[in-house]
Structures are given as structure tokens and as C-alpha cells.
Amino acid sequence: MKHLIPIISSVVCLFIMSCNTETSHIVLLEADTYLEKEKNDSAYLLLSSIDEEKISSRDDMMLFLLLRERTNFLTDRKTDTKSLQECIDYYKNHDDIRLMQAYFYKGVADAELKRDVRDILENLKKAERIAMKYSDSVMLNKIYDNLAS
């Protein structure tokens, strides 16, 4: 039964999306919840069902891009670092927590692509500063784990 809840929830979200031409902010938040609970495949399925062209607000588009790239990274799919940079540019003026996530995933995606070490460290250190500001021990552990490797 415990394993059916994410499936049922995904089906309900997909039904809601099919009824509306607008992408629902609630569906994006549901995908975010899946990622926080490490249900990465459920988040991937939900996000892959969203038609980007139907996302009406810039806020939702940036959230979609960030969630999609987090999901891609966590499910070993190709991560688009340009989308993550776009999220960084946007969230600098909007949301520290999302900015922290964008810096972190940009840093680790760049590390996997063997990009400039200075850029990788700069992104991870920026994520670290925000995580320290909010006492986010989970993110700090992820950051330190990646800095150590």
C-alpha cells in the first residue's frame, strides 16, 4: 500500500494536468515533494508529462527547469547546465533556497562534465553559504560530500 501512494498521487496530478491547459503549480510542488522524499523516478515521470509550452508564468518555468535538472541529475540523465545557469540568474532575485539548489546542481553537474574546477568550487561554495544561512544540514552534507571528492 505504501508504494501505491506515489503512483496514485501521480495519476491524480496527471488527471489535473489533462483537464487544464495551464500547468498547475501544484503539480510542480508535487514533483518537488517526490524529490525531497527521494522518489526520483516518480518525480521524473511527473515532470516528463508536463508540456513546457503550456507553462504560463516565469516562476513556474524556472521551477520546472530546476526540478527537471535536479531530477535528471538524480536519475543519471543528461543535465542541462545552461538551464541551471538560467535558474541561478532568476533565483538570485527571488528565492534563496531554490538558488542554493541551483548552485549545488550546477556545481555537481559541471564536476561530472569535468569543467573548470574554479567554477565548480565557486558554485558549491555559494550553495554552502546559503545552506549555512538556513542551517540546512542535509544540503551541507551533500555539499561537503562533493567538495571532498
Side-chain angles (χ1 to χ4, degrees):
M1 181 65 177
K2 183 169 96 173
H3 300 289
L4 288 176
I5 292 174
I7 294 169
I8 293 169
S9 182
S10 292
V11 170
V12 169
C13 287
L14 291 172
F15 176 74
I16 291 169
M17 285 174 43
S18 69
C19 294
N20 292 326
T21 56
E22 301 285 322
T23 300
S24 173
H25 187 72
I26 295 169
V27 174
L28 292 170
L29 294 177
E30 183 73 22
D32 190 31
T33 300
Y34 284 151
L35 289 171
E36 294 303 320
K37 293 180 179 179
E38 298 181 4
K39 297 181 185 300
N40 304 330
D41 291 329
S42 296
Y44 176 78
L45 289 172
L46 194 57
L47 291 168
S48 64
S49 69
I50 295 174
D51 182 357
E52 286 182 60
E53 293 179 13
K54 293 183 180 178
I55 298 175
S56 59
S57 76
R58 180 122 169 99
D59 286 341
D60 283 348
M61 178 54 81
M62 290 298 105
L63 180 57
F64 171 76
L65 291 176
L66 179 59
L67 295 175
R68 183 187 68 191
E69 298 316 319
R70 280 176 62 194
T71 304
N72 285 343
F73 180 80
L74 294 168
T75 57
D76 297 323
R77 290 175 172 83
K78 186 176 182 219
T79 306
D80 180 3
T81 57
K82 288 180 183 177
S83 290
L84 288 168
Q85 185 59 53
E86 190 176 347
C87 292
I88 289 169
D89 295 340
Y90 177 77
Y91 285 121
K92 281 180 183 176
N93 300 315
H94 291 87
D95 185 332
D96 276 357
I97 301 300
R98 301 284 185 208
L99 178 61
M100 173 186 67
Q101 293 169 346
Y103 277 131
F104 174 75
Y105 286 103
K106 174 86 165 69
V108 295
D110 282 347
E112 280 200 350
L113 295 170
K114 305 212 183 317
R115 299 238 169 102
D116 185 9
V117 173
R118 287 172 290 176
D119 291 339
I120 295 164
L121 292 175
E122 182 180 333
N123 284 316
L124 292 175
K125 294 301 278 181
K126 286 178 180 180
E128 177 191 32
R129 281 193 287 281
I130 298 169
M132 291 176 87
K133 176 180 172 182
Y134 290 97
S135 302
D136 188 336
S137 60
V138 173
M139 181 57 81
L140 284 168
N141 285 335
K142 290 179 184 178
I143 293 165
Y144 296 145
D145 197 37
N146 280 278
L147 285 171
S149 56

PDB file of all heavy atoms in Angstrom, residues 37-50:
ATOM      1  N   LYS A  37      11.624  13.450  -0.984  1.00  0.00           N
ATOM      2  CA  LYS A  37      11.440  12.123  -0.393  1.00  0.00           C
ATOM      3  C   LYS A  37      12.251  11.051  -1.124  1.00  0.00           C
ATOM      4  O   LYS A  37      12.080   9.862  -0.878  1.00  0.00           O
ATOM      5  CB  LYS A  37       9.959  11.738  -0.411  1.00  0.00           C
ATOM      6  CG  LYS A  37       9.113  12.600   0.496  1.00  0.00           C
ATOM      7  CD  LYS A  37       7.662  12.176   0.436  1.00  0.00           C
ATOM      8  CE  LYS A  37       6.817  13.027   1.370  1.00  0.00           C
ATOM      9  NZ  LYS A  37       5.400  12.651   1.305  1.00  0.00           N
ATOM     10  N   GLU A  38      13.128  11.505  -2.033  1.00  0.00           N
ATOM     11  CA  GLU A  38      13.985  10.625  -2.828  1.00  0.00           C
ATOM     12  C   GLU A  38      13.194   9.645  -3.692  1.00  0.00           C
ATOM     13  O   GLU A  38      13.637   8.539  -3.966  1.00  0.00           O
ATOM     14  CB  GLU A  38      15.004   9.901  -1.939  1.00  0.00           C
ATOM     15  CG  GLU A  38      15.934  10.872  -1.236  1.00  0.00           C
ATOM     16  CD  GLU A  38      16.966  10.195  -0.365  1.00  0.00           C
ATOM     17  OE1 GLU A  38      17.034   8.952  -0.339  1.00  0.00           O
ATOM     18  OE2 GLU A  38      17.718  10.920   0.297  1.00  0.00           O
ATOM     19  N   LYS A  39      12.036  10.068  -4.149  1.00  0.00           N
ATOM     20  CA  LYS A  39      11.232   9.300  -5.101  1.00  0.00           C
ATOM     21  C   LYS A  39      11.488   9.905  -6.484  1.00  0.00           C
ATOM     22  O   LYS A  39      10.597  10.482  -7.119  1.00  0.00           O
ATOM     23  CB  LYS A  39       9.757   9.343  -4.713  1.00  0.00           C
ATOM     24  CG  LYS A  39       9.475   8.689  -3.363  1.00  0.00           C
ATOM     25  CD  LYS A  39       8.007   8.739  -3.032  1.00  0.00           C
ATOM     26  CE  LYS A  39       7.699   8.218  -1.665  1.00  0.00           C
ATOM     27  NZ  LYS A  39       8.041   6.877  -1.383  1.00  0.00           N
ATOM     28  N   ASN A  40      12.734   9.762  -6.913  1.00  0.00           N
ATOM     29  CA  ASN A  40      13.211  10.435  -8.116  1.00  0.00           C
ATOM     30  C   ASN A  40      12.510   9.974  -9.390  1.00  0.00           C
ATOM     31  O   ASN A  40      12.236  10.777 -10.275  1.00  0.00           O
ATOM     32  CB  ASN A  40      14.723  10.260  -8.241  1.00  0.00           C
ATOM     33  CG  ASN A  40      15.450  10.763  -7.017  1.00  0.00           C
ATOM     34  OD1 ASN A  40      14.992  11.676  -6.344  1.00  0.00           O
ATOM     35  ND2 ASN A  40      16.580  10.164  -6.708  1.00  0.00           N
ATOM     36  N   ASP A  41      12.228   8.677  -9.486  1.00  0.00           N
ATOM     37  CA  ASP A  41      11.554   8.167 -10.675  1.00  0.00           C
ATOM     38  C   ASP A  41      10.130   8.701 -10.777  1.00  0.00           C
ATOM     39  O   ASP A  41       9.655   9.011 -11.872  1.00  0.00           O
ATOM     40  CB  ASP A  41      11.560   6.634 -10.695  1.00  0.00           C
ATOM     41  CG  ASP A  41      12.955   6.078 -10.921  1.00  0.00           C
ATOM     42  OD1 ASP A  41      13.756   6.741 -11.606  1.00  0.00           O
ATOM     43  OD2 ASP A  41      13.247   4.984 -10.405  1.00  0.00           O
ATOM     44  N   SER A  42       9.448   8.817  -9.654  1.00  0.00           N
ATOM     45  CA  SER A  42       8.094   9.388  -9.652  1.00  0.00           C
ATOM     46  C   SER A  42       8.137  10.852 -10.087  1.00  0.00           C
ATOM     47  O   SER A  42       7.298  11.297 -10.877  1.00  0.00           O
ATOM     48  CB  SER A  42       7.458   9.274  -8.269  1.00  0.00           C
ATOM     49  OG  SER A  42       7.272   7.928  -7.915  1.00  0.00           O
ATOM     50  N   ALA A  43       9.127  11.591  -9.595  1.00  0.00           N
ATOM     51  CA  ALA A  43       9.282  12.995  -9.996  1.00  0.00           C
ATOM     52  C   ALA A  43       9.574  13.076 -11.492  1.00  0.00           C
ATOM     53  O   ALA A  43       9.016  13.927 -12.193  1.00  0.00           O
ATOM     54  CB  ALA A  43      10.400  13.653  -9.195  1.00  0.00           C
ATOM     55  N   TYR A  44      10.427  12.186 -11.975  1.00  0.00           N
ATOM     56  CA  TYR A  44      10.764  12.181 -13.405  1.00  0.00           C
ATOM     57  C   TYR A  44       9.523  11.941 -14.266  1.00  0.00           C
ATOM     58  O   TYR A  44       9.292  12.651 -15.253  1.00  0.00           O
ATOM     59  CB  TYR A  44      11.835  11.125 -13.694  1.00  0.00           C
ATOM     60  CG  TYR A  44      12.140  11.012 -15.159  1.00  0.00           C
ATOM     61  CD1 TYR A  44      12.953  11.955 -15.786  1.00  0.00           C
ATOM     62  CD2 TYR A  44      11.602   9.991 -15.927  1.00  0.00           C
ATOM     63  CE1 TYR A  44      13.220  11.875 -17.144  1.00  0.00           C
ATOM     64  CE2 TYR A  44      11.869   9.905 -17.283  1.00  0.00           C
ATOM     65  CZ  TYR A  44      12.678  10.852 -17.887  1.00  0.00           C
ATOM     66  OH  TYR A  44      12.922  10.770 -19.237  1.00  0.00           O
ATOM     67  N   LEU A  45       8.727  10.953 -13.895  1.00  0.00           N
ATOM     68  CA  LEU A  45       7.513  10.661 -14.661  1.00  0.00           C
ATOM     69  C   LEU A  45       6.560  11.844 -14.665  1.00  0.00           C
ATOM     70  O   LEU A  45       5.976  12.192 -15.698  1.00  0.00           O
ATOM     71  CB  LEU A  45       6.808   9.424 -14.100  1.00  0.00           C
ATOM     72  CG  LEU A  45       7.495   8.093 -14.353  1.00  0.00           C
ATOM     73  CD1 LEU A  45       6.800   6.974 -13.586  1.00  0.00           C
ATOM     74  CD2 LEU A  45       7.524   7.783 -15.844  1.00  0.00           C
ATOM     75  N   LEU A  46       6.403  12.457 -13.523  1.00  0.00           N
ATOM     76  CA  LEU A  46       5.500  13.599 -13.416  1.00  0.00           C
ATOM     77  C   LEU A  46       6.003  14.772 -14.257  1.00  0.00           C
ATOM     78  O   LEU A  46       5.252  15.368 -15.035  1.00  0.00           O
ATOM     79  CB  LEU A  46       5.371  14.002 -11.947  1.00  0.00           C
ATOM     80  CG  LEU A  46       4.247  14.941 -11.582  1.00  0.00           C
ATOM     81  CD1 LEU A  46       2.893  14.376 -11.991  1.00  0.00           C
ATOM     82  CD2 LEU A  46       4.257  15.174 -10.082  1.00  0.00           C
ATOM     83  N   LEU A  47       7.282  15.091 -14.141  1.00  0.00           N
ATOM     84  CA  LEU A  47       7.839  16.221 -14.882  1.00  0.00           C
ATOM     85  C   LEU A  47       7.878  15.963 -16.388  1.00  0.00           C
ATOM     86  O   LEU A  47       7.676  16.885 -17.176  1.00  0.00           O
ATOM     87  CB  LEU A  47       9.239  16.556 -14.366  1.00  0.00           C
ATOM     88  CG  LEU A  47       9.284  17.144 -12.964  1.00  0.00           C
ATOM     89  CD1 LEU A  47      10.707  17.163 -12.432  1.00  0.00           C
ATOM     90  CD2 LEU A  47       8.682  18.530 -12.943  1.00  0.00           C
ATOM     91  N   SER A  48       8.130  14.715 -16.775  1.00  0.00           N
ATOM     92  CA  SER A  48       8.197  14.422 -18.210  1.00  0.00           C
ATOM     93  C   SER A  48       6.829  14.492 -18.884  1.00  0.00           C
ATOM     94  O   SER A  48       6.738  14.567 -20.105  1.00  0.00           O
ATOM     95  CB  SER A  48       8.855  13.060 -18.454  1.00  0.00           C
ATOM     96  OG  SER A  48       8.069  12.029 -17.903  1.00  0.00           O
ATOM     97  N   SER A  49       5.780  14.495 -18.085  1.00  0.00           N
ATOM     98  CA  SER A  49       4.433  14.601 -18.654  1.00  0.00           C
ATOM     99  C   SER A  49       3.996  16.053 -18.854  1.00  0.00           C
ATOM    100  O   SER A  49       2.944  16.313 -19.430  1.00  0.00           O
ATOM    101  CB  SER A  49       3.434  13.886 -17.751  1.00  0.00           C
ATOM    102  OG  SER A  49       3.291  14.584 -16.536  1.00  0.00           O
ATOM    103  N   ILE A  50       4.804  16.999 -18.386  1.00  0.00           N
ATOM    104  CA  ILE A  50       4.447  18.417 -18.495  1.00  0.00           C
ATOM    105  C   ILE A  50       4.873  18.956 -19.852  1.00  0.00           C
ATOM    106  O   ILE A  50       6.011  18.773 -20.276  1.00  0.00           O
ATOM    107  CB  ILE A  50       5.113  19.228 -17.358  1.00  0.00           C
ATOM    108  CG1 ILE A  50       4.552  18.795 -16.003  1.00  0.00           C
ATOM    109  CG2 ILE A  50       4.922  20.728 -17.574  1.00  0.00           C
ATOM    110  CD1 ILE A  50       5.235  19.435 -14.819  1.00  0.00           C
TER     111      ILE A  50
END
